[in-house]
Coordinates of all heavy atoms in Angstrom, one line a residue:
M1042 N 128.2 34.7 -194.9 CA 129.4 34.4 -195.7 C 130.0 35.8 -196.1 O 129.4 36.6 -196.7 CB 129.0 33.7 -197.0 CG 129.0 32.2 -196.9 SD 130.5 31.4 -196.4 CE 131.5 31.7 -197.9
A1043 N 131.3 35.9 -195.8 CA 132.0 37.1 -196.2 C 132.7 36.9 -197.6 O 132.9 35.7 -198.0 CB 133.1 37.4 -195.2
L1044 N 132.9 37.9 -198.3 CA 133.7 37.8 -199.5 C 135.0 37.2 -199.2 O 135.6 37.5 -198.2 CB 133.8 39.2 -200.2 CG 132.6 39.9 -200.7 CD1 133.0 41.3 -201.2 CD2 132.0 39.1 -201.8
E1045 N 135.6 36.5 -200.2 CA 136.9 35.9 -200.1 C 138.0 37.0 -200.1 O 139.0 36.8 -199.5 CB 137.3 35.0 -201.3 CG 136.6 33.7 -201.3 CD 137.0 32.9 -202.6 OE1 138.2 32.9 -202.9 OE2 136.2 32.3 -203.2
L1046 N 137.7 38.1 -200.8 CA 138.7 39.2 -201.0 C 140.0 38.6 -201.6 O 141.1 38.5 -201.0 CB 139.0 39.9 -199.7 CG 137.8 40.6 -199.0 CD1 138.3 41.2 -197.7 CD2 137.2 41.6 -199.9
R1047 N 139.9 38.2 -202.9 CA 141.0 37.6 -203.6 C 142.1 38.6 -203.7 O 141.8 39.8 -203.8 CB 140.6 37.0 -204.9 CG 139.5 35.9 -204.7 CD 139.0 35.4 -206.0 NE 137.9 34.5 -205.8 CZ 137.2 33.9 -206.7 NH1 137.4 34.2 -208.0 NH2 136.2 33.1 -206.4
P1048 N 143.4 38.1 -203.7 CA 144.5 39.1 -203.5 C 145.0 39.8 -204.7 O 145.9 40.7 -204.6 CB 145.6 38.2 -202.9 CG 145.3 36.8 -203.5 CD 143.8 36.7 -203.6
N1049 N 144.5 39.4 -205.9 CA 145.1 40.0 -207.1 C 144.1 40.1 -208.3 O 143.1 39.5 -208.3 CB 146.3 39.0 -207.6 CG 145.8 37.7 -208.1 OD1 145.1 37.0 -207.4 ND2 146.1 37.3 -209.3
C1050 N 144.6 40.9 -209.3 CA 143.8 41.0 -210.5 C 144.1 39.7 -211.3 O 145.3 39.5 -211.6 CB 144.2 42.2 -211.3 SG 143.4 42.3 -213.0
E1051 N 143.1 39.0 -211.7 CA 143.2 37.8 -212.5 C 143.9 38.0 -213.8 O 144.5 37.2 -214.4 CB 141.8 37.2 -212.6 CG 141.8 35.7 -213.0 CD 140.4 35.2 -212.9 OE1 139.7 35.3 -211.9 OE2 140.0 34.5 -213.9
Y1052 N 143.7 39.3 -214.4 CA 144.3 39.6 -215.7 C 145.7 40.0 -215.6 O 146.6 39.5 -216.2 CB 143.4 40.6 -216.4 CG 143.6 40.7 -217.9 CD1 142.7 40.2 -218.8 CD2 144.7 41.4 -218.4 CE1 142.9 40.3 -220.1 CE2 144.9 41.5 -219.7 CZ 144.0 40.9 -220.6 OH 144.2 41.0 -222.0
C1053 N 146.0 41.1 -214.9 CA 147.3 41.7 -214.9 C 148.1 41.3 -213.6 O 149.3 41.7 -213.5 CB 147.2 43.2 -215.0 SG 146.7 44.1 -213.5
D1054 N 147.5 40.6 -212.7 CA 148.2 40.1 -211.5 C 148.6 41.2 -210.5 O 149.4 40.9 -209.6 CB 149.4 39.2 -211.9 CG 149.8 38.3 -210.7 OD1 148.9 37.8 -210.0 OD2 151.0 38.1 -210.5
R1055 N 148.1 42.4 -210.7 CA 148.5 43.4 -209.6 C 147.8 43.1 -208.3 O 146.8 42.4 -208.3 CB 148.1 44.8 -210.1 CG 146.6 45.2 -209.9 CD 146.4 46.7 -210.1 NE 146.9 47.1 -211.4 CZ 146.6 48.3 -212.0 NH1 145.9 49.1 -211.3 NH2 147.0 48.6 -213.2
D1056 N 148.4 43.5 -207.2 CA 147.9 43.2 -205.9 C 146.6 44.1 -205.7 O 146.6 45.2 -206.0 CB 148.9 43.6 -204.8 CG 150.1 42.6 -204.8 OD1 150.0 41.5 -205.4 OD2 151.1 43.0 -204.2
L1057 N 145.6 43.4 -205.1 CA 144.4 44.1 -204.7 C 144.1 43.8 -203.3 O 143.3 42.9 -202.9 CB 143.2 43.7 -205.6 CG 143.4 44.0 -207.1 CD1 142.3 43.3 -208.0 CD2 143.3 45.6 -207.3
P1058 N 144.7 44.5 -202.4 CA 144.5 44.3 -200.9 C 143.1 44.7 -200.5 O 142.4 45.3 -201.2 CB 145.6 45.2 -200.3 CG 145.9 46.2 -201.3 CD 145.7 45.6 -202.6
P1059 N 142.7 44.3 -199.3 CA 141.4 44.5 -198.8 C 140.9 45.9 -198.8 O 139.7 46.2 -198.9 CB 141.4 43.9 -197.4 CG 142.5 43.0 -197.3 CD 143.5 43.5 -198.3
G1060 N 141.9 46.8 -198.7 CA 141.5 48.3 -198.7 C 141.5 48.9 -200.1 O 141.3 50.1 -200.2
S1061 N 141.8 48.1 -201.1 CA 141.9 48.7 -202.4 C 140.6 49.3 -202.9 O 139.5 48.7 -202.7 CB 142.3 47.6 -203.5 OG 142.3 48.1 -204.8
T1062 N 140.6 50.5 -203.5 CA 139.4 51.1 -204.1 C 139.3 50.8 -205.6 O 138.4 51.3 -206.2 CB 139.4 52.6 -203.8 OG1 140.6 53.2 -204.4 CG2 139.3 52.8 -202.3
V1063 N 140.3 50.1 -206.2 CA 140.2 49.8 -207.6 C 139.9 48.3 -207.9 O 139.9 47.9 -209.0 CB 141.5 50.2 -208.3 CG1 141.8 51.7 -208.2 CG2 142.7 49.4 -207.8
A1064 N 139.6 47.5 -206.9 CA 139.2 46.2 -207.1 C 137.8 46.1 -207.6 O 136.9 46.9 -207.1 CB 139.3 45.4 -205.8
R1065 N 137.5 45.2 -208.5 CA 136.2 45.0 -209.1 C 135.9 43.5 -209.0 O 136.8 42.7 -209.3 CB 136.1 45.5 -210.6 CG 136.5 47.0 -210.8 CD 135.4 47.9 -210.3 NE 135.7 49.3 -210.5 CZ 136.3 50.1 -209.6 NH1 136.7 49.6 -208.4 NH2 136.5 51.4 -209.8
I1066 N 134.6 43.2 -208.8 CA 134.2 41.8 -208.7 C 132.9 41.6 -209.5 O 132.1 42.5 -209.6 CB 134.0 41.3 -207.2 CG1 133.0 42.2 -206.5 CG2 135.3 41.2 -206.5 CD1 132.6 41.7 -205.1
C1067 N 132.8 40.4 -210.0 CA 131.5 39.9 -210.6 C 130.7 39.2 -209.5 O 131.1 39.1 -208.3 CB 131.8 39.0 -211.8 SG 132.1 37.3 -211.3
S1068 N 129.5 38.7 -209.9 CA 128.7 38.1 -208.8 C 129.3 36.8 -208.3 O 128.8 36.4 -207.2 CB 127.3 37.8 -209.4 OG 127.3 36.7 -210.2
Y1069 N 130.2 36.2 -209.0 CA 130.9 35.0 -208.5 C 132.2 35.4 -207.8 O 133.0 34.5 -207.4 CB 131.2 34.0 -209.6 CG 130.0 33.5 -210.2 CD1 129.5 34.1 -211.4 CD2 129.2 32.5 -209.6 CE1 128.3 33.6 -212.0 CE2 128.1 32.0 -210.2 CZ 127.6 32.5 -211.4 OH 126.4 32.1 -211.9
E1070 N 132.5 36.6 -207.6 CA 133.7 37.2 -207.0 C 134.9 36.9 -207.9 O 136.1 36.9 -207.4 CB 133.9 36.7 -205.6 CG 134.7 37.8 -204.8 CD 135.0 37.3 -203.3 OE1 134.2 36.5 -202.7 OE2 136.0 37.9 -202.8
C1071 N 134.8 36.8 -209.2 CA 135.9 36.9 -210.1 C 136.4 38.3 -209.9 O 135.6 39.2 -209.9 CB 135.5 36.6 -211.5 SG 134.6 35.1 -211.8
T1072 N 137.8 38.5 -209.7 CA 138.3 39.7 -209.3 C 139.3 40.3 -210.2 O 140.3 39.6 -210.7 CB 138.9 39.5 -207.9 OG1 137.9 38.9 -207.0 CG2 139.5 40.8 -207.3
F1073 N 139.1 41.5 -210.6 CA 140.0 42.2 -211.5 C 140.2 43.7 -211.0 O 139.5 44.1 -210.2 CB 139.4 42.2 -212.9 CG 139.2 40.8 -213.5 CD1 138.1 40.1 -213.2 CD2 140.2 40.3 -214.3 CE1 138.0 38.8 -213.7 CE2 140.1 39.0 -214.8 CZ 139.0 38.3 -214.5
C1074 N 141.2 44.4 -211.6 CA 141.4 45.8 -211.3 C 140.5 46.6 -212.2 O 140.1 46.2 -213.3 CB 142.8 46.2 -211.4 SG 143.5 46.3 -213.0
A1075 N 140.2 47.8 -211.8 CA 139.4 48.7 -212.6 C 140.0 49.0 -214.0 O 139.2 49.0 -215.0 CB 139.2 50.1 -211.9
E1076 N 141.3 49.1 -214.1 CA 141.9 49.4 -215.4 C 141.7 48.2 -216.4 O 141.3 48.4 -217.5 CB 143.4 49.5 -215.2 CG 144.2 50.1 -216.4 CD 145.6 50.3 -216.0 OE1 145.9 50.9 -214.9 OE2 146.5 49.9 -216.8
C1077 N 141.8 47.0 -215.9 CA 141.5 45.8 -216.8 C 140.0 45.7 -217.1 O 139.7 45.4 -218.3 CB 142.0 44.5 -216.1 SG 143.9 44.5 -216.1
V1078 N 139.2 45.9 -216.2 CA 137.7 45.9 -216.4 C 137.3 46.9 -217.5 O 136.6 46.5 -218.4 CB 136.9 46.1 -215.1 CG1 135.5 46.4 -215.4 CG2 137.1 44.9 -214.2
D1079 N 137.8 48.1 -217.4 CA 137.4 49.1 -218.3 C 138.1 49.0 -219.6 O 137.5 49.2 -220.7 CB 137.7 50.5 -217.7 CG 136.9 50.8 -216.5 OD1 135.9 50.1 -216.3 OD2 137.3 51.7 -215.7
G1080 N 139.4 48.6 -219.6 CA 140.2 48.5 -220.8 C 140.1 47.2 -221.5 O 139.5 47.1 -222.6
K1081 N 140.5 46.2 -221.0 CA 140.6 44.9 -221.6 C 139.3 44.1 -221.6 O 139.0 43.4 -222.6 CB 141.7 44.0 -220.9 CG 143.0 44.6 -220.8 CD 143.7 44.5 -222.2 CE 145.2 45.0 -222.0 NZ 145.8 45.1 -223.3
L1082 N 138.6 44.2 -220.6 CA 137.4 43.3 -220.4 C 136.1 43.9 -220.9 O 135.1 43.2 -221.0 CB 137.3 42.9 -218.9 CG 138.5 42.2 -218.4 CD1 138.3 41.8 -216.9 CD2 138.9 40.9 -219.2
R1083 N 136.1 45.3 -221.1 CA 134.8 46.0 -221.5 C 133.7 45.6 -220.5 O 132.5 45.5 -221.0 CB 134.4 45.6 -222.9 CG 135.6 45.7 -223.9 CD 136.0 47.2 -224.1 NE 136.7 47.4 -225.3 CZ 136.2 47.8 -226.5 NH1 134.9 48.1 -226.5 NH2 136.9 48.0 -227.5
N1084 N 134.0 45.5 -219.3 CA 133.0 45.2 -218.3 C 132.3 43.9 -218.5 O 131.1 43.7 -218.2 CB 132.0 46.3 -218.1 CG 131.2 46.3 -216.8 OD1 131.8 45.9 -215.8 ND2 129.9 46.6 -216.8
V1085 N 133.0 42.9 -219.1 CA 132.4 41.6 -219.3 C 133.4 40.6 -218.5 O 134.6 40.5 -218.9 CB 132.4 41.2 -220.8 CG1 132.0 39.7 -220.9 CG2 131.6 42.1 -221.6
C1086 N 132.8 39.9 -217.6 CA 133.7 38.9 -216.9 C 134.1 37.8 -217.8 O 133.2 37.2 -218.4 CB 132.9 38.3 -215.6 SG 133.9 37.1 -214.8
P1087 N 135.4 37.5 -217.9 CA 135.8 36.5 -218.8 C 135.4 35.1 -218.4 O 135.3 34.1 -219.2 CB 137.4 36.5 -218.8 CG 137.7 37.5 -217.8 CD 136.5 38.2 -217.2
N1088 N 135.0 34.9 -217.2 CA 134.6 33.6 -216.7 C 133.2 33.3 -216.8 O 132.8 32.2 -217.0 CB 135.1 33.4 -215.2 CG 136.6 33.6 -215.1 OD1 137.4 33.1 -215.9 ND2 137.0 34.4 -214.1
C1089 N 132.4 34.4 -216.5 CA 130.9 34.1 -216.5 C 130.1 35.0 -217.4 O 128.9 34.7 -217.7 CB 130.4 34.3 -215.1 SG 130.4 36.0 -214.5
G1090 N 130.7 36.0 -218.0 CA 129.9 36.9 -218.9 C 129.1 38.0 -218.2 O 128.5 38.8 -218.9
G1091 N 129.1 38.0 -216.9 CA 128.4 39.1 -216.2 C 129.3 40.4 -216.1 O 130.4 40.4 -216.7
G1092 N 128.8 41.4 -215.5 CA 129.5 42.6 -215.3 C 130.1 42.7 -213.9 O 130.1 41.8 -213.2
F1093 N 130.7 43.9 -213.7 CA 131.5 44.1 -212.4 C 130.9 45.2 -211.6 O 130.3 46.2 -212.1 CB 132.9 44.4 -212.8 CG 133.6 43.2 -213.4 CD1 133.7 43.1 -214.7 CD2 134.2 42.3 -212.6 CE1 134.4 42.0 -215.3 CE2 134.8 41.2 -213.1 CZ 135.0 41.0 -214.5
A1094 N 131.2 45.2 -210.3 CA 130.9 46.3 -209.4 C 132.2 46.5 -208.5 O 133.0 45.6 -208.4 CB 129.7 45.9 -208.5
P1095 N 132.3 47.7 -208.0 CA 133.4 47.9 -207.1 C 133.3 47.0 -205.9 O 132.2 46.7 -205.4 CB 133.2 49.4 -206.6 CG 132.4 50.0 -207.7 CD 131.5 48.9 -208.2
R1096 N 134.5 46.4 -205.5 CA 134.5 45.6 -204.3 C 134.6 46.5 -203.1 O 135.6 47.3 -203.0 CB 135.7 44.6 -204.4 CG 135.7 43.6 -203.3 CD 136.9 42.7 -203.4 NE 138.2 43.4 -203.0 CZ 139.4 42.9 -203.1 NH1 139.6 41.7 -203.6 NH2 140.4 43.6 -202.7
P1097 N 133.7 46.3 -202.1 CA 133.8 47.2 -200.9 C 135.1 46.9 -200.2 O 135.6 45.8 -200.2 CB 132.6 46.8 -200.1 CG 131.7 46.0 -201.0 CD 132.6 45.4 -202.1
I1098 N 135.6 47.9 -199.5 CA 136.8 47.7 -198.6 C 136.4 46.9 -197.4 O 135.2 46.9 -197.0 CB 137.5 49.0 -198.2 CG1 136.6 49.9 -197.4 CG2 138.0 49.7 -199.5 CD1 136.7 49.8 -196.0
R1099 N 137.3 46.1 -196.8 CA 137.0 45.6 -195.5 C 137.8 46.4 -194.5 O 139.0 46.7 -194.6 CB 137.5 44.1 -195.4 CG 137.2 43.4 -194.1 CD 137.3 41.9 -194.1 NE 136.2 41.5 -195.1 CZ 136.2 40.2 -195.6 NH1 137.1 39.3 -195.2 NH2 135.2 39.9 -196.4
P1100 N 137.1 46.8 -193.4 CA 137.7 47.8 -192.5 C 139.0 47.2 -191.8 O 139.0 46.0 -191.4 CB 136.6 48.0 -191.4 CG 135.3 47.6 -192.1 CD 135.7 46.6 -193.1
Q1101 N 140.0 48.0 -191.7 CA 141.2 47.7 -191.0 C 141.0 47.7 -189.5 O 141.6 46.9 -188.8 CB 142.3 48.7 -191.3 CG 142.8 48.7 -192.8 CD 143.9 49.7 -193.0 OE1 144.9 49.6 -192.3 NE2 143.7 50.5 -193.9
R1102 N 140.1 48.7 -189.1 CA 139.8 48.8 -187.7 C 138.6 48.0 -187.3 O 137.6 47.9 -188.0 CB 139.7 50.3 -187.4 CG 140.9 51.1 -187.5 CD 140.7 52.6 -187.4 NE 140.2 52.9 -186.1 CZ 139.8 54.2 -185.8 NH1 140.0 55.2 -186.6 NH2 139.3 54.5 -184.6
E1103 N 138.7 47.5 -186.1 CA 137.5 46.8 -185.5 C 136.5 47.7 -185.0 O 136.4 47.9 -183.7 CB 138.0 45.8 -184.5 CG 137.0 44.7 -184.2 CD 137.6 43.6 -183.2 OE1 138.8 43.6 -183.0 OE2 136.8 42.8 -182.7
W1104 N 135.8 48.4 -185.9 CA 134.8 49.4 -185.5 C 133.6 48.7 -184.7 O 133.0 49.4 -183.8 CB 134.2 50.1 -186.7 CG 135.2 50.8 -187.5 CD1 135.8 50.4 -188.7 CD2 135.7 52.1 -187.3 NE1 136.6 51.4 -189.2 CE2 136.6 52.4 -188.3 CE3 135.4 53.1 -186.3 CZ2 137.3 53.6 -188.4 CZ3 136.1 54.3 -186.4 CH2 137.0 54.5 -187.4
R1105 N 133.3 47.5 -185.0 CA 132.4 46.7 -184.3 C 133.1 45.4 -183.9 O 133.9 44.8 -184.7 CB 131.2 46.3 -185.1 CG 130.3 47.5 -185.5 CD 129.5 48.1 -184.4 NE 128.5 49.0 -184.8 CZ 127.7 49.6 -184.0 NH1 127.8 49.5 -182.6 NH2 126.7 50.4 -184.4
A1106 N 132.8 44.8 -182.7 CA 133.5 43.7 -182.2 C 133.4 42.5 -183.2 O 132.3 42.1 -183.6 CB 132.9 43.3 -180.8
G1107 N 134.5 42.0 -183.5 CA 134.5 40.7 -184.3 C 134.6 40.9 -185.8 O 134.6 39.9 -186.5
V1108 N 134.5 42.1 -186.3 CA 134.5 42.3 -187.7 C 135.6 43.3 -188.2 O 135.5 44.5 -187.9 CB 133.1 42.7 -188.3 CG1 132.2 41.5 -188.4 CG2 132.5 43.8 -187.4
S1109 N 136.6 42.8 -188.8 CA 137.6 43.6 -189.4 C 138.5 42.7 -190.2 O 138.3 41.5 -190.3 CB 138.5 44.2 -188.3 OG 139.3 43.2 -187.6
V1110 N 139.5 43.3 -190.9 CA 140.3 42.5 -191.8 C 141.2 41.5 -191.0 O 141.5 40.5 -191.5 CB 141.2 43.4 -192.7 CG1 142.3 44.1 -191.9 CG2 141.7 42.7 -193.9
D1111 N 141.5 41.8 -189.7 CA 142.2 40.9 -188.9 C 141.3 39.7 -188.5 O 141.8 38.6 -188.3 CB 142.7 41.6 -187.7 CG 143.9 42.5 -188.0 OD1 144.6 42.3 -189.0 OD2 144.1 43.5 -187.3
K1112 N 140.0 40.0 -188.3 CA 139.1 38.9 -187.8 C 138.7 38.0 -188.9 O 138.5 36.8 -188.7 CB 137.9 39.5 -187.1 CG 138.2 40.4 -185.9 CD 138.7 39.5 -184.8 CE 139.1 40.4 -183.6 NZ 139.6 39.7 -182.4
Q1113 N 138.5 38.6 -190.1 CA 138.2 37.8 -191.3 C 139.2 38.1 -192.4 O 139.0 39.0 -193.3 CB 136.8 38.1 -191.8 CG 135.6 37.7 -190.9 CD 135.3 38.6 -189.8 OE1 135.6 39.8 -190.0 NE2 134.9 38.1 -188.7
P1114 N 140.4 37.5 -192.3 CA 141.5 37.9 -193.2 C 141.1 37.5 -194.7 O 140.3 36.6 -195.0 CB 142.6 37.0 -192.8 CG 142.2 36.2 -191.6 CD 140.7 36.4 -191.4
P1115 N 141.7 38.3 -195.6 CA 141.5 38.0 -197.1 C 142.1 36.7 -197.5 O 143.0 36.2 -196.9 CB 142.2 39.2 -197.7 CG 143.2 39.6 -196.8 CD 142.7 39.4 -195.4
S1116 N 141.6 36.2 -198.6 CA 142.2 35.0 -199.3 C 143.7 35.3 -199.7 O 144.0 36.5 -200.0 CB 141.4 34.6 -200.5 OG 142.2 33.7 -201.3
T1117 N 144.5 34.3 -199.6 CA 145.9 34.5 -200.1 C 146.2 33.7 -201.3 O 147.3 33.7 -201.9 CB 146.9 34.0 -199.0 OG1 146.7 32.7 -198.7 CG2 146.8 34.9 -197.7
K1118 N 145.1 33.1 -201.9 CA 145.3 32.2 -203.1 C 145.2 33.1 -204.3 O 144.0 33.5 -204.7 CB 144.2 31.2 -203.0 CG 144.4 30.1 -204.1 CD 143.4 28.9 -203.9 CE 143.5 27.9 -205.0 NZ 142.4 28.0 -205.9
R1119 N 146.3 33.3 -205.0 CA 146.2 34.1 -206.2 C 145.5 33.3 -207.3 O 145.7 32.1 -207.5 CB 147.6 34.5 -206.6 CG 148.3 35.4 -205.6 CD 149.7 35.8 -206.0 NE 149.7 37.0 -206.9 CZ 149.6 38.2 -206.4 NH1 149.5 38.5 -205.1 NH2 149.6 39.3 -207.2
V1120 N 144.7 34.1 -208.1 CA 143.9 33.4 -209.1 C 144.4 34.0 -210.5 O 144.7 35.1 -210.6 CB 142.4 33.8 -208.9 CG1 141.6 33.2 -210.0 CG2 141.9 33.3 -207.6
H1121 N 144.5 33.0 -211.5 CA 145.0 33.4 -212.8 C 143.9 33.1 -213.8 O 143.0 32.3 -213.6 CB 146.3 32.7 -213.0 CG 147.3 33.0 -212.0 ND1 147.9 34.3 -211.9 CD2 147.7 32.3 -210.9 CE1 148.7 34.3 -210.8 NE2 148.6 33.1 -210.2
L1122 N 144.1 33.6 -215.0 CA 143.1 33.5 -216.1 C 143.0 32.0 -216.5 O 143.9 31.2 -216.5 CB 143.6 34.3 -217.3 CG 143.6 35.8 -217.2 CD1 144.2 36.4 -218.5 CD2 142.2 36.4 -216.9
S1123 N 141.7 31.7 -216.9 CA 141.4 30.3 -217.3 C 141.3 30.2 -218.8 O 141.1 29.1 -219.3 CB 140.1 29.9 -216.7 OG 140.1 30.0 -215.3
Y1124 N 141.4 31.4 -219.5 CA 141.3 31.4 -221.0 C 142.4 32.2 -221.6 O 143.0 33.0 -220.9 CB 139.9 32.0 -221.3 CG 138.7 31.3 -220.7 CD1 138.2 31.7 -219.5 CD2 138.2 30.2 -221.4 CE1 137.1 31.0 -218.9 CE2 137.1 29.5 -220.8 CZ 136.6 29.9 -219.6 OH 135.5 29.2 -219.0
S1125 N 142.6 32.0 -222.9 CA 143.7 32.8 -223.5 C 143.3 34.2 -223.7 O 142.1 34.6 -223.7 CB 144.0 32.2 -224.9 OG 142.9 32.4 -225.8
L1126 N 144.2 35.1 -223.9 CA 143.9 36.5 -224.1 C 143.1 36.7 -225.3 O 142.1 37.6 -225.3 CB 145.2 37.3 -224.2 CG 146.1 37.3 -223.0 CD1 147.3 38.3 -223.2 CD2 145.4 37.6 -221.7
D1127 N 143.3 36.0 -226.4 CA 142.5 36.1 -227.6 C 141.1 35.7 -227.3 O 140.1 36.3 -227.8 CB 143.1 35.2 -228.7 CG 144.3 35.8 -229.4 OD1 144.6 37.0 -229.1 OD2 145.0 35.1 -230.1
D1128 N 140.9 34.6 -226.6 CA 139.6 34.1 -226.3 C 138.8 35.1 -225.5 O 137.6 35.4 -225.7 CB 139.7 32.8 -225.6 CG 138.3 32.2 -225.2 OD1 137.7 32.7 -224.2 OD2 137.9 31.3 -225.9
I1129 N 139.5 35.7 -224.5 CA 138.9 36.7 -223.6 C 138.4 37.9 -224.4 O 137.4 38.5 -224.2 CB 139.8 37.1 -222.5 CG1 139.9 35.9 -221.5 CG2 139.4 38.3 -221.7 CD1 141.0 36.0 -220.5
A1130 N 139.3 38.4 -225.4 CA 139.0 39.5 -226.2 C 137.7 39.3 -227.0 O 136.8 40.1 -227.1 CB 140.2 39.9 -227.1
A1131 N 137.7 38.1 -227.6 CA 136.5 37.7 -228.4 C 135.2 37.6 -227.6 O 134.1 38.1 -228.0 CB 136.8 36.4 -229.2
H1132 N 135.4 37.1 -226.4 CA 134.2 36.9 -225.5 C 133.7 38.3 -225.1 O 132.5 38.6 -225.1 CB 134.8 36.2 -224.3 CG 133.9 36.0 -223.1 ND1 133.0 35.0 -223.0 CD2 133.8 36.7 -221.9 CE1 132.4 35.1 -221.8 NE2 132.9 36.1 -221.2
A1133 N 134.6 39.2 -224.8 CA 134.2 40.6 -224.4 C 133.5 41.3 -225.6 O 132.4 41.9 -225.4 CB 135.4 41.4 -224.0
M1134 N 134.0 41.1 -226.8 CA 133.4 41.8 -228.0 C 132.0 41.2 -228.2 O 131.1 41.9 -228.6 CB 134.2 41.6 -229.2 CG 135.6 42.4 -229.2 SD 135.3 44.1 -228.9 CE 134.7 44.6 -230.5
R1135 N 131.8 39.9 -228.0 CA 130.5 39.3 -228.2 C 129.5 39.8 -227.2 O 128.3 39.8 -227.5 CB 130.7 37.8 -228.1 CG 129.5 36.9 -228.5 CD 129.9 35.4 -228.6 NE 130.3 34.8 -227.4 CZ 131.5 34.3 -227.2 NH1 132.5 34.3 -228.1 NH2 131.8 33.7 -226.0
I1136 N 129.9 40.1 -226.0 CA 128.9 40.3 -224.9 C 128.8 41.8 -224.5 O 127.8 42.2 -223.9 CB 129.3 39.4 -223.7 CG1 129.2 38.0 -224.1 CG2 128.4 39.7 -222.5 CD1 129.8 37.0 -223.1
K1137 N 129.8 42.6 -224.8 CA 129.9 43.9 -224.2 C 128.7 44.8 -224.4 O 128.3 45.7 -223.6 CB 131.2 44.7 -224.6 CG 131.2 45.1 -226.1 CD 132.5 45.8 -226.5 CE 132.6 46.1 -227.9 NZ 131.6 47.0 -228.4
D1138 N 128.0 44.6 -225.6 CA 126.9 45.5 -225.9 C 125.5 44.9 -225.5 O 124.5 45.5 -225.7 CB 126.9 45.9 -227.3 CG 128.1 46.7 -227.7 OD1 128.5 47.6 -226.9 OD2 128.6 46.6 -228.8
V1139 N 125.6 43.7 -224.9 CA 124.3 43.1 -224.4 C 124.0 43.8 -223.0 O 124.9 43.8 -222.1 CB 124.5 41.6 -224.2 CG1 123.2 41.0 -223.7 CG2 124.9 41.0 -225.5
A1140 N 122.8 44.3 -222.9 CA 122.5 45.0 -221.6 C 122.5 44.1 -220.4 O 122.2 42.9 -220.6 CB 121.1 45.6 -221.8
P1141 N 122.9 44.6 -219.3 CA 123.0 43.7 -218.1 C 121.8 42.8 -217.9 O 121.9 41.7 -217.6 CB 123.3 44.6 -217.0 CG 124.0 45.8 -217.6 CD 123.3 45.9 -219.0
E1142 N 120.6 43.5 -218.0 CA 119.4 42.7 -217.7 C 119.1 41.6 -218.8 O 118.2 40.8 -218.5 CB 118.2 43.7 -217.5 CG 117.9 44.5 -218.8 CD 118.6 45.8 -218.8 OE1 119.7 45.9 -218.3 OE2 118.0 46.8 -219.3
D1143 N 119.8 41.7 -219.9 CA 119.6 40.7 -220.9 C 120.7 39.6 -221.0 O 120.6 38.7 -221.8 CB 119.5 41.3 -222.3 CG 118.2 42.2 -222.4 OD1 117.2 41.9 -221.8 OD2 118.3 43.2 -223.1
R1144 N 121.7 39.7 -220.1 CA 122.7 38.7 -220.1 C 122.3 37.5 -219.4 O 122.9 36.5 -219.4 CB 124.0 39.3 -219.5 CG 124.7 40.4 -220.3 CD 126.0 40.8 -219.7 NE 126.5 42.0 -220.3 CZ 127.6 42.6 -220.0 NH1 128.4 42.1 -219.0 NH2 128.0 43.7 -220.6
Ligands
ZN1368 ZN1 144.3 44.2 -213.8
ZN1369 ZN1 132.5 36.1 -213.3

């Protein structure tokens, strides 16, 4: 299974193309930009409470046969927040200081 490579930051809606180095994902592939993760979200996913890691780029060039952004294109379905901004802020404050291994 390849990552979906969702096309946007769920919080600020900026585009996050497959080559972006500022895309961040949680273990469920909830997708945000680095600025929102560090600033608004405090490294707490608003949907699951987990943390984030950089999303790897998908190669533009077919360095190996059958694997590239053209062969496995990114998702085009834009994703938007499921909770209010106030709710997300409270959720982040509640969880941000819980160590990853204790979440
Ligand atoms: Zn963002
Ligand atoms: Zn999540």
Side-chain angles (χ1 to χ4, degrees):
M1042 274 300 289
L1044 292 174
E1045 286 180 43
L1046 301 177
R1047 298 178 186 173
N1049 66 305
C1050 172
E1051 197 173 310
Y1052 196 103
C1053 73
D1054 200 36
R1055 81 169 56 168
D1056 289 343
L1057 295 171
S1061 174
T1062 57
V1063 299
R1065 301 288 181 266
I1066 54 173
C1067 80
S1068 76
Y1069 296 98
E1070 211 182 333
C1071 307
T1072 303
F1073 296 87
C1074 73
E1076 193 176 314
C1077 289
V1078 164
D1079 296 340
K1081 303 287 188 186
L1082 303 178
R1083 309 296 199 94
N1084 199 34
V1085 177
C1086 177
N1088 302 317
C1089 71
F1093 292 96
R1096 187 181 72 187
I1098 62 97
R1099 181 162 299 166
Q1101 296 181 52
R1102 292 172 59 182
E1103 196 174 347
W1104 298 100
R1105 294 288 194 183
V1108 282
S1109 71
V1110 77
D1111 289 333
K1112 299 294 178 177
Q1113 291 83 30
S1116 167
T1117 56
K1118 185 170 177 255
R1119 298 183 84 83
V1120 179
H1121 303 289
L1122 293 175
S1123 302
Y1124 302 94
S1125 72
L1126 298 186
D1127 285 349
D1128 181 285
I1129 290 168
H1132 174 86
M1134 290 306 286
R1135 189 166 67 242
I1136 299 171
K1137 70 182 174 64
D1138 295 324
V1139 180
E1142 60 269 33
D1143 295 329
R1144 289 187 193 176

